[in-house]
Amino acid sequence: KELKLVLSTFEQLSGLKLFFTKVNFYAMVRLDCELEYAHLFGCRLGDFPFRYLGIPMNHVKLSNKDWSCIEERFQKKLSS
C-alpha cells in the first residue's frame, strides 16, 4: 500500500498519469502474494519470457542466439 501511495504522489507531483491497466506484474519467483499485488494495483500477472521493445526478457541469462537476433536488427538499422 505504501508503494501505491508513492506512485500516486509521483503522479500528483509530475503531472504524469500511470495506467495500471496497461501494466503486467512480473515476479522472478512465484509468490503467494503476487495476485494480491496485481489486484491492489489493478494490473495483470505476466509470465516469463516476454519481449520488451523487441528484446527478449527472461529470468535467466540470455543465450548467444537471443543476442544474435538483436545484433542483426542493429546492423540492419545502422546500414541504412
Side-chain angles (χ1 to χ4, degrees):
K1 292 179 182 180
E2 287 83 10
L3 180 57
K4 190 161 186 176
L5 176 64
V6 168
L7 293 173
S8 297
T9 304
F10 170 78
E11 285 182 332
Q12 292 172 357
L13 294 174
S14 68
L16 299 173
K17 176 72 176 146
L18 301 173
F19 293 100
F20 290 107
T21 55
K22 295 181 177 183
V23 172
N24 287 342
F25 180 80
Y26 294 93
M28 296 292 219
V29 179
R30 285 290 176 201
L31 305 170
D32 295 334
C33 59
E34 70 182 1
L35 187 59
E36 182 181 338
Y37 284 123
H39 180 70
L40 176 68
F41 287 104
C43 59
R44 298 176 302 259
L45 288 176
D47 290 317
F48 286 102
F50 65 96
R51 294 182 90 70
Y52 179 72
L53 299 177
I55 299 175
M57 297 288 159
N58 205 336
H59 63 283
V60 295
K61 183 178 175 181
L62 293 176
S63 68
N64 287 340
K65 179 184 166 197
D66 294 326
W67 285 111
S68 64
C69 67
I70 297 166
E71 289 176 19
E72 288 173 8
R73 288 179 53 208
F74 273 102
Q75 288 176 356
K76 184 178 177 183
K77 294 280 186 184
L78 292 173
S79 68
S80 59

